[in-house]
Amino acid sequence: MAKDLRTYLRQLEEYDGEALRVVDHEVDPRFGITAYAARFAREGKYPGLLFPKVKGSELACVSNVLTSLDRIALYLGCEGQEIPRVYGEKLQSPIPPKEIDRSAAKVKEVIVEEDEVDLSKLPIPVHNEMDGGPYLSAGVMVIRDPESGKINAGIYRHQIFNRNEMGVWFLGAHHGGLIYKKYKNQGKPAPIAIVIGHHPGFVMGAVSRLQGIGGEYEAAGALMGEPLELVKAETSDLLVPAHAEIVLEGVILPDREQKEGPFGEWPGHYLGGGQVPTIRITRITHRRNAIFQDIVASSREHLVVGGVPRSGSIYHSVKKIVPSLKTVNVPVYARMHCYISLHKERDADVKKAAFAALNTEPENLRHIVVVDDDIDVFNEEEVAWAIGTRFDAERDLLVIPKWNGPGGLLPTNWEYHADGKHTPRMSGAVIIDATKPAPPVVFPKRAVVPTEHVGLADPGALRPLSDEEKRIWF
């Protein structure tokens, strides 16, 4: 059986019976879906949420699924701290997709013709208080480069304007935006498809940092561990995932823009917006009893889905430059930071590793912290300890002015004015060298209990205090 959203949800439920919960009454797509994720987050809980009853729709909605490293590690078949290495290594062994016959494609079970298209019948949430309207947050947009013929896939934000039109917001050098401009310069509509609901390997393959245009289908295959099965679209020559839950087909119009936004983005602010290109949907195909997949915007899930692929891509980039790399961590709660651990053979290794990371993710990284390989970069206390004991601000801090921007999703890339307007600006980045000096310098050793003795400590020997012991000692 080919992997898809349902095979993963089944795997997740078998792994942890509490990981997926059903909300068993009708919810309003306007804040009703995201309210549950927000309510649980207040308690430090992040269950996947399945909503079988969404007002105005016959389809179910699932959200808050990819909220922890454990859930990513589950489909990658590794431990949480191994994710960057495993992810990065898998991307180096892409698996080409394969086209299958239409009759075997589950996404073709229901076809909605152009005159019946009505996006309001999908359970598309309004996520946050000031959002301009319903948004697709987990839709993977597929577009073909008219010059190379390569198919590119990526996640963009899509505000729903009316029954058959939505926007698409491109940022900076997004490959989808570059391809769209080629069609626009020719005065032609750009055929696209938006894929909603699939295996996490497909979703994260679409947001991986890859060199050049295309390659996302191959990356998805690598992350899924099998070829992504594709089928021809209804209205264009695009190949789309055959076992997606829903596929929206249409075109980006070359001469029509509409006002978009605001939208609560992953840094936790309302940013972006303005005039954006318009997509007109001309066909919808979906599975029977399709599940609409949502990523809770400006939430933990939004950060995990975007941050984990960056960790894998950064790991690969740094490893090529500094082979003694141990691992990297882009924290799921702060995609602006990157922690790198390595075995430093030369003092220059630190800057080489840091700049490799910055060049892999130039739009969002603000702080690079480099530590020795005895530091666990997934443990904030250890990273903070390394900064406190091995970092000298006068010697080990490198400020890189005007590195990021102008504009983008981070507030520091904008200049704010009293009249409420804001203008784009450049912002800087920093490299913090929290490593010991390279050999042959002798640096004070870290105080630790010998590992072999830690292994001898038996947790099974622990028991509660007896009443007699409490009486004697307390």
Side-chain angles (χ1 to χ4, degrees):
M1 177 186 293
K3 293 179 181 177
D4 57 16
L5 174 62
R6 298 176 190 222
T7 63
Y8 176 73
L9 293 179
R10 190 178 307 117
Q11 182 186 21
L12 180 61
E13 202 276 333
E14 291 172 354
Y15 167 74
D16 178 0
E18 299 294 317
L20 187 62
R21 315 306 291 163
V22 175
V23 178
D24 200 23
H25 65 258
E26 186 179 72
V27 296
D28 194 314
R30 181 177 174 84
F31 309 135
I33 292 172
T34 51
Y36 275 88
R39 173 67 179 272
F40 281 110
R42 288 180 181 178
E43 303 171 9
K45 300 176 182 178
Y46 303 93
L49 298 168
L50 181 62
F51 301 88
K53 305 170 187 175
V54 182
K55 183 179 179 180
S57 179
E58 296 180 356
L59 303 183
C61 175
V62 69
S63 71
N64 220 45
V65 173
L66 302 173
T67 51
S68 71
L69 293 181
D70 285 348
R71 298 183 189 179
I72 309 302
L74 178 65
Y75 86 79
L76 290 176
C78 66
E79 298 296 324
Q81 295 187 6
E82 296 177 321
I83 288 175
R85 176 186 62 78
V86 172
Y87 198 106
E89 290 175 353
K90 283 182 178 290
L91 290 183
Q92 299 317 298
S93 301
I95 298 177
K98 67 177 182 181
E99 186 174 357
I100 67 170
D101 188 81
R102 174 191 174 92
S103 62
K106 296 175 183 176
V107 78
K108 300 290 189 180
E109 290 175 343
V110 178
I111 309 293
V112 180
E113 301 293 338
E114 182 172 7
D115 59 353
E116 298 178 341
V117 168
D118 186 352
L119 296 172
S120 69
K121 293 182 178 180
L122 298 177
I124 306 174
V126 180
H127 294 86
N128 289 300
E129 180 183 16
M130 293 174 59
D131 284 0
Y135 271 85
L136 299 182
S137 60
V140 176
M141 194 187 82
V142 177
I143 186 170
R144 188 185 295 277
D145 180 19
E147 295 176 356
S148 68
K150 293 180 179 179
I151 289 180
N152 196 86
I155 294 182
Y156 307 97
R157 73 191 211 194
H158 301 281
Q159 181 178 349
I160 308 304
F161 294 141
N162 52 52
R163 73 170 187 85
N164 66 349
E165 290 184 336
M166 65 178 68
V168 54
W169 195 75
F170 295 119
L171 173 64
H174 279 161
H175 291 156
L178 298 177
I179 294 172
Y180 157 68
K181 288 178 182 177
K182 294 179 182 181
Y183 285 96
K184 179 179 174 66
N185 291 338
Q186 298 173 15
K188 297 179 180 179
I192 61 94
I194 299 176
V195 183
I196 303 170
H198 209 296
H199 189 272
F202 169 73
V203 175
M204 291 195 166
V207 293
S208 295
R209 290 295 195 211
L210 306 176
Q211 293 296 316
I213 288 174
E216 288 81 10
Y217 280 175
E218 290 79 3
L223 296 173
M224 293 167 62
E226 65 182 35
L228 177 66
E229 294 190 352
L230 304 175
V231 67
K232 190 175 182 298
E234 298 290 302
T235 59
S236 71
D237 66 348
L238 289 171
L239 293 173
V240 299
H243 307 305
E245 295 292 321
I246 304 167
V247 171
L248 312 179
E249 298 184 24
V251 294
I252 310 179
L253 303 174
D255 53 2
R256 178 168 166 76
E257 293 187 344
Q258 299 188 56
K259 188 177 185 305
E260 184 260 13
F263 179 64
E265 275 289 357
W266 64 262
H269 297 271
Y270 295 96
L271 291 167
Q275 296 295 117
V276 300
T278 296
I279 294 175
R280 180 164 295 155
I281 301 302
T282 58
R283 197 78 86 252
I284 300 177
T285 71
H286 63 84
R287 301 167 68 138
R288 295 188 187 93
N289 301 315
I291 303 172
F292 179 93
Q293 185 176 9
D294 178 66
I295 292 172
V296 183
S298 189
S299 74
R300 186 181 182 90
E301 185 179 22
H302 207 173
L303 292 166
V304 170
V305 172
V308 168
R310 270 58 173 182
S311 291
S313 297
I314 290 169
Y315 177 92
H316 170 65
S317 297
V318 176
K319 189 73 171 179
K320 288 196 300 185
I321 303 299
V322 182
S324 62
L325 171 74
K326 181 180 179 182
T327 192
V328 303
N329 179 27
V330 177
V332 297
Y333 45 81
R335 276 171 51 189
M336 300 75 74
H337 303 327
C338 179
Y339 306 144
I340 300 173
S341 64
L342 49 78
H343 176 71
K344 189 169 77 171
E345 298 174 347
R346 294 167 295 276
D347 286 324
D349 288 346
V350 171
K351 290 186 178 66
K352 288 180 179 179
F355 275 107
L358 285 168
N359 281 311
T360 304
E361 182 68 9
E363 295 170 349
N364 298 319
L365 289 185
R366 290 292 184 273
H367 307 95
I368 309 293
V369 181
V370 185
V371 298
D372 296 295
D373 59 358
D374 65 329
I375 301 298
D376 179 3
V377 293
F378 293 90
N379 185 323
E380 287 281 352
E381 291 186 9
E382 290 209 19
V383 174
W385 179 85
I387 294 173
T389 60
R390 300 177 182 178
F391 165 71
D392 176 358
E394 184 177 0
R395 181 186 60 194
D396 300 323
L397 179 69
L398 177 62
V399 178
I400 311 165
K402 296 184 177 180
W403 176 264
N404 306 94
L409 296 179
L410 291 172
T412 53
N413 278 354
W414 298 87
E415 198 76 57
Y416 297 89
H417 308 284
D419 60 3
K421 295 181 180 179
H422 52 280
T423 53
R425 65 181 290 271
M426 299 288 286
S427 64
V430 298
I431 298 172
I432 296 172
D433 179 356
T435 63
K436 298 176 290 186
V441 175
V442 177
F443 196 79
K445 287 187 176 182
R446 188 178 182 184
V448 296
V449 176
T451 302
E452 62 272 20
H453 288 271
V454 174
L456 294 174
D458 181 12
L462 302 180
R463 62 167 176 79
L465 286 165
S466 68
D467 291 339
E468 179 65 16
E469 288 167 331
K470 291 178 184 178
R471 186 187 66 77
I472 294 173
W473 292 324
F474 298 162

